[in-house]
Amino acid sequence: MKLNPLIIAFVLTLVSIQLTAQNFKKITTSCDLNYHEGDTLTIKGKFSSCMEYSSFETIKTDSCSSSFQMELNFKEISENQKLTSNFHKLSGRCGGYFNLTLTGILKKESKNGYGHLGTNNTEFVVIAVEKIGNLKFSKLE
């Protein structure tokens, strides 16, 4: 049985499109991050900060949230004015946060953690900033 090269090319193209779509799935919960280390993902999350500590977590909390406290790595993109402004306003303060939708690569390679004193257990290497929410401050109790 001889296979038609056009049919083979068509099937390979469909497989490639499916894999690409799967790699750019928008994630909103931490349990959805399981099994995606090294994948390119779009995550809708919340960046929060207190003094020199900061973290990015998925917008919805679930039973996996503590396993994915992310340090954001922005070394792969150019400076974003609104993002930089929000970071400066948060500097040295507690209770500030803003929502972000980011595309990047999820990493959990370091045994020492990520960020200040290794307090985050995951790194997200940002390759695109999709959306930046407004800066908000919650009341501290």
Side-chain angles (χ1 to χ4, degrees):
M1 177 179 180
K2 188 175 179 181
L3 295 175
N4 185 331
L6 289 175
I7 293 175
I8 294 171
F10 178 73
V11 170
L12 290 174
T13 301
L14 287 177
V15 169
S16 175
I17 290 169
Q18 176 61 32
L19 289 173
T20 301
Q22 204 173 25
N23 282 348
F24 283 92
K25 176 183 175 189
K26 187 179 283 185
I27 304 290
T28 59
T29 62
S30 294
C31 287
D32 286 342
L33 294 171
N34 285 319
Y35 313 110
H36 285 291
E37 184 177 342
D39 287 348
T40 301
L41 307 166
T42 298
I43 300 176
K44 184 175 183 180
K46 180 173 95 171
F47 179 86
S48 58
S49 176
C50 184
M51 305 301 280
E52 68 270 21
Y53 299 95
S54 64
S55 184
F56 180 70
E57 298 176 352
T58 55
I59 201 77
K60 298 177 185 173
T61 58
D62 58 19
S63 61
C64 303
S65 292
S66 63
S67 298
F68 292 98
Q69 295 172 336
M70 293 172 261
E71 174 72 13
L72 296 177
N73 177 338
F74 290 102
K75 293 178 183 174
E76 299 298 318
I77 64 169
S78 58
E79 186 175 338
N80 179 298
Q81 198 75 20
K82 184 173 181 181
L83 197 57
T84 302
S85 175
N86 281 359
F87 288 148
H88 284 294
K89 290 175 186 173
L90 283 173
S91 183
R93 299 176 73 180
C94 291
Y97 65 95
F98 58 97
N99 294 340
L100 285 168
T101 302
L102 304 169
T103 299
I105 302 165
L106 187 68
K107 294 185 175 187
K108 287 184 80 95
E109 299 166 345
S110 175
K111 301 222 183 291
N112 298 321
Y114 300 94
H116 185 65
L117 300 178
T119 56
N120 293 320
N121 54 24
T122 309
E123 180 180 44
F124 193 66
V125 180
V126 178
I127 58 174
V129 177
E130 309 294 339
K131 187 175 180 183
I132 303 169
N134 293 325
L135 181 61
K136 299 175 185 174
F137 285 90
S138 58
K139 291 186 178 182
L140 298 176
E141 298 178 17

